[in-house]
Amino acid sequence: MKKLKFLLILLIIITTFLLIYSILSPNIIINQRKINLGDEFNPDIEIYNLFEDLTDNAIITENVDTKKVGIYEIKCQIKYLFFRINRSIVVEVIDKEKPVITLEGNNPSLVCPNGIYKEEGYTAIDNYDKNITDKVSTTKIDNNIFYSVKDSSGNETIVKREIKFVDEEKPILTLNGTNNITLYLGSKYVEPGYRAIDNCDGDITNKVIITGNVDTNRIGTYKINYEVSDSSGNKATTIRNIIIKKKTISYGNGIIYLTFDDGPSYLTSKVLDILNEEKIKATFFVTNADIYTKRAYEEGHTIGLHSYTHDYSYIYANSKNYFDDLNKISNKVHDVIGIYPRIIRFPGGSSNTVSRNYADKIMTFLTEEVVNRGYTYFDWNVDANDAGSDINNSINIYYNVVNNLSHNKTNVVLMHDSMGHIATVNALKDIIRYGKENGYTFKAITNDTPVIRHSVNN
Ligand code: ZN
């Protein structure tokens, strides 16, 4: 009985002790166990027992870096009455943000019907891992490409690019030469050519359809239509206007057109000074282009083409040589003054017979062909003979000109401003004075000047 009583008392003591212990024992509560990367960490630890808040009795050590993903231990040491408690609590800094995939190029991406999609590029940037483009994997399913990437915390992003196999782009249709060609009645129209390039089909020049026709024997404006479609039915069209015009031929305008061949040279500047002083315009058929050519053009004179080589044996050997030479001087002039002159003069004139030495009937062919190509050629009907026996004789040059002027014709005067023609320069002022005193006007040759042409002898 005594033993039982003792056990009972013991039980009461233990119970009481446990009760007191549990009443006094500090409870530790931490509210923040998971912290998002970059968020502020505030341990927010509560320590208390039934009677009071014991937070002040605790020493807390922590080294949580919220900028670094990881698991951190927080140590909590409490001294209170007879309690000595050491607790460690775990918190985790986590990254919940997904990487961002940016697609370069187009979405949807347009690819030619028979084409192959070429990757247009992409980048993947993660808030924590930074650039993870190299971790992107691509998968092609039907006409879609899926780009997926996971950051080191396992956050996954998937982006889709759609591929459309279509051609919505028109071919590019370009015409050789100009879109407006002026030809004279009775000449021949030669198609200058064209080119059609498609983004998907490549060169489709042979698919160009041309409609419309030109009657060079009838005055008017003719439209040539060019049309081309690519294999997806995208159509491109363009038009060329051919203007057929009557060339006025009149021998009675009484105007003097001074023309200077074979320049420019240093003498050109002297010629320009005189023309400037006398306030008249002239025409230069050039074999080169330089600052004097530029000055002549800027001062309102006409620049015509003569020849690049002025070598009869070359230019009159065949028509290819002739046009190669003409294109050369044309490009040279274009480089200097920015235009391609359309007014020309044949070396030796269209009536020359020297060409017979190199090719039979070449002048017959060339005089037609230059017109077909849109050029207007001029010969002359007043010869200063300054490239002949009177090269050094200013007086003869003067009379050669003034004795052949007439109010009943269009006076196209042949002179030279190349090296060695100082006598021409010396006669020029007197020629102009004579013209002015006798009621003539001076003009530069234009497209509207009546043509003066010799008869062809070869
Ligand atoms: Zn010449």
Side-chain angles (χ1 to χ4, degrees):
M1 197 60 201
K2 234 178 181 180
K3 207 175 179 183
L4 192 70
K5 209 173 178 179
F6 171 75
L7 279 174
L8 194 67
I9 289 164
L10 191 65
L11 191 66
I12 289 165
I13 290 167
I14 289 169
T15 309
T16 310
F17 180 77
L18 285 174
L19 195 65
I20 291 166
Y21 184 90
S22 68
I23 287 168
L24 293 178
S25 150
N27 289 308
I28 302 172
I29 288 180
I30 176 157
N31 294 317
Q32 228 178 339
R33 294 284 184 155
K34 283 195 171 171
I35 304 139
N36 286 335
L37 197 68
D39 281 2
E40 206 179 309
F41 173 57
N42 171 11
D44 197 10
I45 295 172
E46 291 171 45
I47 303 161
Y48 57 88
N49 64 12
L50 267 182
F51 301 107
E52 56 182 331
D53 185 336
L54 302 172
T55 309
D56 290 346
N57 296 50
I59 299 163
I60 294 162
T61 30
E62 56 101 354
N63 63 342
V64 177
D65 181 355
T66 62
K67 288 190 177 67
K68 260 192 185 155
V69 170
I71 292 164
Y72 296 89
E73 200 180 35
I74 297 172
K75 289 200 171 104
C76 190
Q77 195 178 50
I78 301 149
K79 287 182 185 169
Y80 172 66
L81 302 176
F82 48 85
F83 295 103
R84 293 292 179 272
I85 301 170
N86 280 309
R87 285 275 295 279
S88 78
I89 304 153
V90 162
V91 300
E92 200 180 354
V93 172
I94 55 166
D95 171 23
K96 289 204 295 192
E97 215 173 290
K98 288 179 181 182
V100 175
I101 294 178
T102 307
L103 298 184
E104 283 156 22
N106 303 303
N107 190 15
S109 176
L110 303 184
V111 176
C112 287
N114 296 320
I116 294 163
Y117 170 73
K118 238 179 89 191
E119 182 51 52
E120 294 194 63
Y122 50 82
T123 52
I125 305 293
D126 183 57
N127 62 318
Y128 188 69
D129 302 333
K130 305 301 172 201
N131 193 329
I132 51 169
T133 304
D134 59 336
K135 295 202 165 64
V136 174
S137 65
T138 58
T139 322
K140 192 168 179 293
I141 301 171
D142 298 327
N143 287 343
N144 297 307
I145 293 177
F146 293 91
Y147 303 79
S148 64
V149 72
K150 271 185 190 174
D151 68 13
S152 55
S153 298
N155 300 302
E156 188 176 26
T157 297
I158 298 174
V159 166
K160 182 178 95 170
R161 190 198 305 264
E162 197 186 336
I163 301 167
K164 283 188 174 168
F165 290 92
V166 289
D167 176 13
E168 294 175 344
E169 224 174 283
K170 280 198 267 184
I172 296 167
L173 181 53
T174 45
L175 300 182
N176 295 345
T178 60
N179 286 48
N180 294 300
I181 294 178
T182 302
L183 295 173
Y184 294 113
L185 208 57
S187 58
K188 200 174 84 189
Y189 172 64
V190 182
E191 170 58 48
Y194 45 83
R195 200 161 146 81
I197 304 292
D198 185 59
N199 62 318
C200 288
D201 302 345
D203 192 330
I204 51 168
T205 302
N206 59 5
K207 288 190 176 160
V208 175
I209 297 163
I210 305 175
T211 52
N213 56 328
V214 180
D215 183 355
T216 57
N217 292 315
R218 204 169 275 179
I219 288 168
T221 300
Y222 298 86
K223 283 191 190 311
I224 309 271
N225 301 290
Y226 302 80
E227 186 183 312
V228 69
S229 294
D230 66 18
S231 54
S232 298
N234 300 301
K235 201 198 309 183
T237 60
T238 188
I239 287 174
R240 197 191 314 258
N241 293 306
I242 315 297
I243 302 135
I244 305 298
K245 191 164 116 162
K246 196 179 172 193
K247 184 82 203 172
T248 352
I249 299 180
S250 143
Y251 291 93
N253 71 6
I255 296 167
I256 299 174
Y257 297 90
L258 297 179
T259 68
F260 297 89
D261 284 13
D262 298 353
S265 75
Y266 76 101
L267 290 175
T268 308
S269 69
K270 295 188 187 298
V271 170
L272 289 171
D273 289 344
I274 295 168
L275 298 176
N276 196 32
E277 216 174 291
E278 297 292 335
K279 297 188 170 53
I280 65 165
K281 304 301 174 206
T283 303
F284 294 85
F285 290 102
V286 300
T287 57
N288 194 0
D290 62 11
I291 49 163
Y292 302 129
T293 314
K294 194 166 196 286
R295 180 182 157 197
Y297 179 68
E298 284 170 355
E299 292 182 358
H301 304 291
T302 292
I303 306 300
L305 305 176
H306 195 38
S307 174
Y308 188 77
T309 62
H310 210 292
D311 177 352
Y312 296 134
S313 69
Y314 171 72
I315 60 173
Y316 294 141
N318 55 59
S319 68
K320 186 190 176 295
N321 285 9
Y322 176 80
F323 282 105
D324 283 352
D325 175 89
L326 188 66
N327 284 336
K328 260 191 180 173
I329 185 61
S330 180
N331 291 333
K332 181 89 193 183
V333 170
H334 178 262
D335 286 348
V336 175
I337 65 172
I339 60 156
Y340 296 105
R342 309 303 289 176
I343 291 168
I344 65 171
R345 174 173 283 161
F346 290 104
S350 66
S351 58
N352 79 77
T353 49
V354 67
S355 57
R356 282 189 205 150
N357 300 333
Y358 312 110
D360 192 36
K361 299 263 179 283
I362 185 133
M363 295 316 297
T364 306
F365 177 78
L366 292 178
T367 48
E368 269 183 37
E369 186 60 17
V370 293
V371 173
N372 290 340
R373 297 196 187 195
Y375 292 103
T376 304
Y377 73 89
F378 278 82
D379 287 309
W380 58 89
N381 54 10
V382 179
D383 186 354
N385 195 31
D386 67 337
S389 53
D390 294 325
I391 183 162
N392 294 316
N393 192 327
S394 295
I395 294 167
N396 284 3
I397 289 171
Y398 170 80
Y399 284 113
N400 290 338
V401 175
V402 303
N403 288 342
N404 287 293
L405 295 174
S406 165
H407 284 287
N408 298 318
K409 69 178 185 189
T410 297
N411 302 281
V412 177
V413 181
L414 171 67
M415 292 190 282
H416 294 81
D417 65 333
S418 45
M419 298 264 280
H421 292 282
I422 187 71
T424 304
V425 175
N426 292 336
L428 184 58
K429 203 164 222 174
D430 290 335
I431 291 170
I432 295 168
R433 292 266 162 86
Y434 176 91
K436 283 182 173 175
E437 282 163 13
N438 289 279
Y440 289 96
T441 52
F442 291 85
K443 283 188 180 173
I445 290 174
T446 68
N447 273 323
D448 298 318
T449 304
V451 289
I452 294 300
R453 287 174 181 173
H454 299 162
S455 50
V456 173
N457 294 313
N458 175 31

